[in-house]
Amino acid sequence: MKKGLFLFLSGMLFLMSFGQQQAVLTIDAAAPKTTISRHIYGQFSEHLGHCIYDGYWVDEKMNVPKKDRIRLDVVAALKKIHIPNLRWPGGCFADEYHWRDGIGERSRRPKMINTHWGGVTEDNSFGTHEFLELCELLDAEPYIAGNMGSGTVEEMSRWVEYLNADGDSPMTRLRKANGRDQPWKVPFWGVGNESWGCGGNMTPEYYASEFRRYATFARNYPGAPLKKIASGANADDYNWTEVCMKNIPQHMMWGLSLHYYTVPTGNWGRKGSATSFNETEYFKTMQRCLHMEELVAKHSAIMDRYDPEKKVALVVDEWGIWTDPEPGTNPGFLYQQNSLRDALIAGTTLNIFNNHADRVRMANLAQTVNVLQALILTKGTEMLLTPTYYVFDLFKEHMDAKLLPIQLAAPGYNKDGATIPAVNASASVDSNGRVHITLVNLDADNAITVQTTLKGKPFKTVSGRILTSGKFTDINTFENKNLVKPVAFNGFKQTGAVLSVQLPRLSIVSLTLE
């Protein structure tokens, strides 16, 4: 009998012996190999609603700490969780954005209508220099989505030159005239966005051909090799991945993207409320969140056929929950509140990405501030951290740590005749030899005991933190900013190499073993 099957059957026997509120987790710490890329914990900020304007970039008269017009309390909060990269300017907006409109003297920059998001007028005061200044303040690598949809090969080529070239050329002279002598050497470069939809309604065959043309002229300059990311599939469009992997030479692309949003109702016309939902709606949302496991596995399997050495990364550069906008807000601004349910989605999704770290090497939550599953909400001079923000805080120790293989036998969470796994997990070991375990209990009714065995590595001490609340609808508000916030966790007991963890209902727990 294979070792993994033996561990799984042993776990199931344990569950049958001790009831359905027990889980068995075995972690193999003997020979870690795969690195969990820190870029899995990336973020996404589009010119959409109040993400850029009134989020990062505020009125010069606003009484908050600023550098130029960049809001520094937002920067400080994101630095605390070590965001590794930031994707910009979109999203759908990227394929109508012409970068030269966003450089030079701000008062002379042409205005534009944001046709995708609310029909508002953009003054282009936040452009290339401002974005890269923000990334430097965040200590995050920029990830720029280039305009393939309404742009030209020359436009994209010149933008890369403006960003990354040294020496003497029209673009480097223009950059210097605008106040930047040295190139930024931007590494991550998206060649189009959602080219199957808002980025041009292309067929995969046409897109693959266009990618080859655009990518050819997006040059690698000395000391600044590009990591080019192809616009990949929408959810379960496996044919798109097949065609791209078949028709784009592997040496031309660093990554292939995937977009998937958890829509509570499964209906894009009426997605469901961010704050008012019952357990049946909660359960269906978690079912749809867990679909990410199937998507990553199936897209990875297609990529494996063409790229068995896994040189091309799967880049899930848009993910998160998408609900109806908050009542009374501009529907084109996609402003939604952020509940404990959303935190459970974030923890579950990050566990999935960690466990597929051999292929998933970059991901970007949509979006960072004031839009969709935001980490931060702002209201004038006030700012709050959402439950999702705290998940990234709990999980940050996984960044660039080595993935530890796990075997998990979890009880089912049952509702209306359907069942999902109640518990999910991932584990890693960092460069200092500390083991980090993240556990999520999706069950709305039951606490679960997780009998955890760490094989191949002794440990003496355990510390932990937990994020939970009384209801899955609980949110942080400007009147009560700390309702859903991590606290110290000591609900565990060690017996030799076995750690018994009492995982409360609706909770996310991070443990460190030393």
Side-chain angles (χ1 to χ4, degrees):
M1 184 183 294
K2 291 184 177 179
K3 182 178 179 182
L5 180 60
F6 175 78
L7 290 172
F8 176 78
L9 291 175
S10 297
M12 294 309 296
L13 288 171
F14 183 91
L15 296 178
M16 294 170 64
S17 300
F18 290 90
Q20 291 300 303
Q21 295 179 17
Q22 305 278 342
V24 176
L25 174 64
T26 302
I27 303 170
D28 184 2
K33 295 180 180 179
T34 302
T35 297
I36 299 173
S37 171
R38 69 186 186 278
H39 290 295
I40 284 174
Y41 292 82
Q43 303 297 324
F44 171 37
S45 292
E46 185 170 4
H47 285 245
L48 197 175
H50 294 302
C51 184
I52 301 296
Y53 299 99
D54 297 325
Y56 293 109
W57 189 250
V58 296
D59 189 283
E60 58 189 9
K61 297 179 182 178
M62 181 177 283
N63 187 25
V64 293
K66 300 183 295 295
K67 183 172 184 183
D68 192 359
R69 290 170 56 187
I70 296 173
R71 184 169 176 162
L72 294 181
D73 54 352
V74 170
V75 169
L78 296 175
K79 284 191 73 173
K80 184 177 182 295
I81 58 172
H82 309 310
I83 72 164
N85 66 74
L86 187 62
R87 181 173 180 250
W88 173 87
C92 292
F93 181 82
D95 280 301
E96 66 176 3
Y97 181 69
H98 300 283
W99 68 272
R100 292 193 199 208
D101 293 344
I103 61 172
E105 175 61 42
R106 289 177 194 152
S107 63
R108 298 181 179 178
R109 296 180 188 179
K111 293 179 172 60
M112 65 175 290
I113 297 174
N114 190 333
T115 61
H116 286 290
W117 306 120
V120 296
T121 298
E122 296 263 347
D123 69 2
N124 277 312
S125 61
F126 188 93
T128 295
H129 288 253
E130 291 79 14
F131 169 66
L132 292 168
E133 172 72 8
L134 172 63
C135 289
E136 289 180 348
L137 290 172
L138 291 168
D139 195 24
E141 292 196 56
Y143 169 14
I144 288 180
N147 181 349
M148 176 190 279
S150 67
T152 65
V153 171
E154 180 185 16
E155 181 180 18
M156 188 179 292
S157 174
R158 293 291 180 257
W159 200 6
V160 175
E161 181 182 351
Y162 186 89
L163 296 168
N164 290 356
D166 208 348
D168 185 28
S169 76
M171 289 299 100
T172 60
R173 289 197 294 273
L174 179 60
R175 183 188 70 227
K176 291 175 182 180
N178 288 329
R180 176 76 182 196
D181 288 339
Q182 298 301 314
W184 287 282
K185 300 184 178 180
V186 173
F188 296 109
W189 192 266
V191 182
N193 166 77
E194 293 191 356
S195 300
W196 38 264
C198 64
N201 286 304
M202 303 176 192
T203 65
E205 291 81 6
Y206 182 82
Y207 172 76
S209 177
E210 285 293 277
F211 175 92
R212 293 165 65 128
R213 188 166 71 99
Y214 274 73
T216 297
F217 293 97
R219 305 286 190 187
N220 291 328
Y221 289 95
L226 289 183
K227 296 178 178 178
K228 300 169 192 174
I229 298 168
S231 177
N234 177 26
D236 57 1
D237 184 354
Y238 300 114
N239 180 60
W240 188 282
T241 296
E242 185 88 38
V243 171
C244 286
M245 291 302 296
K246 180 179 179 181
N247 293 348
I248 299 175
Q250 290 173 22
H251 73 271
M252 295 189 75
M253 61 175 171
W254 179 85
L256 178 65
S257 75
L258 168 66
H259 289 182
Y260 176 69
Y261 287 96
T262 297
V263 177
T265 63
N267 179 355
W268 283 92
R270 188 192 62 81
K271 303 175 189 70
S273 171
T275 56
S276 179
F277 50 90
N278 59 29
E279 187 177 351
T280 294
E281 292 168 303
Y282 164 78
F283 182 88
K284 289 180 179 178
T285 304
M286 303 320 297
Q287 281 183 305
R288 294 185 172 102
C289 163
L290 287 164
H291 185 52
M292 182 68 83
E293 171 70 37
E294 178 182 332
L295 292 173
V296 168
K298 288 187 175 181
H299 284 289
S300 295
I302 294 168
M303 296 174 76
D304 287 348
R305 292 204 301 271
Y306 296 90
D307 174 31
E309 296 180 357
K310 300 183 187 293
K311 293 180 179 179
V312 179
L314 181 59
V315 178
V316 191
D317 56 14
E318 290 189 30
W319 67 272
I321 185 171
W322 192 326
T323 68
D324 293 330
E326 288 299 297
T329 66
N330 186 326
F333 284 5
L334 306 186
Y335 179 85
Q336 64 190 48
Q337 250 293 356
N338 194 285
S339 68
L340 179 63
R341 174 183 68 174
D342 303 343
L344 293 162
I345 287 171
T348 298
T349 304
L350 291 172
N351 276 336
I352 291 169
F353 292 161
N354 288 347
N355 289 323
H356 287 274
D358 59 340
R359 182 63 80 176
V360 179
R361 296 198 287 278
M362 191 176 196
N364 301 81
L365 176 72
Q367 292 188 16
T368 320
V369 186
N370 290 330
V371 172
L372 298 177
Q373 191 171 349
L375 301 180
I376 294 171
L377 301 178
T378 65
K379 180 182 177 182
T381 60
E382 292 190 83
M383 180 192 82
L384 69 79
L385 306 177
T386 69
T388 295
Y389 172 91
Y390 291 115
V391 173
F392 279 80
D393 193 30
L394 292 176
F395 277 64
K396 66 187 178 185
E397 303 299 337
H398 287 307
M399 291 188 195
D400 288 336
K402 295 288 187 180
L403 178 68
L404 297 180
I406 65 171
Q407 293 286 335
L408 175 63
Y413 169 31
N414 308 301
K415 187 68 178 176
D416 300 329
T419 302
I420 60 174
V423 175
N424 59 80
S426 65
S428 66
V429 59
D430 67 23
S431 59
N432 295 315
R434 299 177 300 173
V435 172
H436 304 283
I437 307 168
T438 45
L439 299 160
V440 179
N441 181 4
L442 300 178
D443 197 313
D445 304 309
N446 299 305
I448 296 172
T449 301
V450 184
Q451 297 292 345
T452 304
T453 302
L454 181 63
K455 300 179 64 177
K457 187 175 180 60
F459 63 97
K460 294 181 179 179
T461 64
V462 183
S463 60
R465 290 195 296 160
I466 183 171
L467 183 69
T468 189
S469 195
K471 298 178 292 185
F472 42 56
T473 53
D474 282 348
I475 61 175
N476 292 334
T477 67
F478 290 99
E479 294 70 38
N480 185 359
K481 297 180 181 180
N482 298 307
L483 179 62
V484 188
K485 187 175 182 178
V487 296
F489 176 72
N490 58 8
F492 48 80
K493 181 179 179 181
Q494 181 183 353
T495 307
V498 177
L499 186 67
S500 179
V501 183
Q502 307 299 319
L503 200 60
R505 55 185 283 279
L506 300 172
S507 65
I508 303 111
V509 167
S510 67
L511 299 170
T512 297
L513 282 56
E514 298 183 72

